[in-house]
Amino acid sequence: FETYELDQAPRPVVKTPPVYPYKARQEGVEGVVQVKILVREDGSVGEVLIVDSRASSGPKDVFDDAVLAAVPRWRFEPGKIAGKTVTSWVVTALHFKLNS
């Protein structure tokens, strides 16, 4: 199911942050990765698809591997339809920002 079809969208319970890529940190690169996540009925993550990647400089996909390593470890309160848990997709963005 897509989020708009649900009575209650999946909500993250455990969100392990991705590791900031060393080279990107050293070069001062910031960015954002938009992902589509398949949340199973038990709240575990099925698939993780990169929807869009952007970086302030360098290759735009510099953060993709970090996201693909972290997101599968996330856990969700699954989406619901009529009170029943269902497998569904959720879209979110992960921001990579350096501390000032």
Side-chain angles (χ1 to χ4, degrees):
F1 292 95
E2 296 291 338
T3 303
Y4 69 86
E5 299 175 284
L6 304 172
D7 296 332
Q8 178 183 315
R11 286 188 288 221
V13 177
V14 176
K15 284 177 72 173
T16 305
V19 175
Y20 210 110
Y22 179 78
K23 186 170 177 155
R25 182 181 299 280
Q26 291 301 105
E27 295 176 2
V29 177
E30 296 184 335
V32 62
V33 178
Q34 186 177 29
V35 291
K36 186 171 184 178
I37 304 165
L38 183 65
V39 178
R40 296 183 182 127
E41 289 178 33
D42 66 358
S44 66
V45 172
E47 285 183 73
V48 180
L49 306 173
I50 303 290
V51 176
D52 189 29
S53 295
R54 297 179 190 198
S56 57
S57 66
K60 68 177 190 149
D61 63 352
V62 67
F63 300 108
D64 289 7
D65 287 344
V67 169
L68 292 173
V71 174
R73 295 193 309 256
W74 291 10
R75 292 295 174 261
F76 287 81
E77 182 179 313
K80 294 182 181 179
I81 295 178
K84 183 176 182 246
T85 59
V86 294
T87 296
S88 60
W89 290 97
V90 65
V91 177
T92 191
L94 288 86
H95 297 268
F96 289 82
K97 292 187 183 235
L98 296 166
N99 295 331
S100 307

